[in-house]
Amino acid sequence: MVIALDEPGRRPRICDELLREHPEVRIIAVAPEKNYIVYYWASFNIHSNNVEASEEGILHAMRNKLVTNGAN
């Protein structure tokens, strides 16, 4: 999708709405007055670890996730 970029350096609100609903979409925003183009896309990473098949293993995995999130 190609859209106009009214304010260079500021992501158009429509990008957030479109990419939230349709993460497969790719957007090229073009500033008409300046030689400025921005490419927007959505992505995410999925991570995994093997967990011991026990209550202790599950609790350990959940606690590690909480500690990791608290550090960021």
Side-chain angles (χ1 to χ4, degrees):
M1 173 177 282
V2 178
I3 63 172
L5 184 62
D6 296 327
E7 298 178 50
R10 185 172 187 170
R11 184 174 63 237
R13 184 176 296 171
I14 187 91
C15 290
D16 293 342
E17 295 168 9
L18 282 171
L19 292 171
R20 192 174 302 116
E21 293 294 320
H22 304 281
E24 71 281 0
V25 169
R26 303 297 184 251
I27 301 170
I28 295 177
V30 180
E33 294 87 33
K34 301 183 189 259
N35 191 14
Y36 188 79
I37 298 174
V38 182
Y39 175 53
Y40 296 102
W41 71 97
S43 69
F44 67 93
N45 294 321
I46 298 174
H47 304 276
S48 67
N49 283 325
N50 292 333
V51 175
E52 179 185 329
S54 68
E55 182 179 348
E56 184 177 332
I58 293 169
L59 290 174
H60 179 70
M62 292 173 66
R63 286 184 185 124
N64 283 343
K65 179 66 175 164
L66 292 174
V67 169
T68 301
N69 283 343
N72 291 334

